[in-house]
Amino acid sequence: MSELRAGTCALPLEPPLGVPMMGYGARVGVAEGALDRLHARALYLAAGSDLLLVECDLCLVAPQQAAALRARLAARTGVPP
């Protein structure tokens, strides 16, 4: 039986003021401040094989952006996409 290894991490996402916002259909305007901080969170598990889950407080990620992020994470961690 393999030994279980695990790790977690949370990093703040800090979009600049003035960026367009999403959330509901009638939203107009841009970000003028921050009520709640946004984060990216990761969970890593290894026991015979590796698993890396990454969650971001974002409404939308384009498929090309997700593919690029998976490739960068694989290159930096050695965990395949």
Side-chain angles (χ1 to χ4, degrees):
M1 180 175 1
S2 297
E3 178 180 308
L4 174 64
R5 293 180 296 140
T8 64
C9 182
L11 296 174
L13 300 175
E14 299 177 356
L17 297 180
V19 297
M21 295 174 39
M22 293 184 68
Y24 56 89
R27 183 181 296 274
V28 295
V30 296
E32 297 176 359
L35 178 63
D36 297 311
R37 294 187 82 175
L38 303 176
H39 289 87
R41 295 174 184 87
L43 169 65
Y44 171 74
L45 299 172
S49 62
D50 294 340
L51 172 70
L52 177 61
L53 298 173
V54 178
E55 176 273 331
C56 295
D57 292 336
L58 303 171
C59 289
L60 209 12
V61 176
Q64 301 90 337
Q65 291 171 317
L69 181 56
R70 285 185 194 105
R72 287 178 64 188
L73 287 170
R76 290 186 69 162
T77 65
V79 178

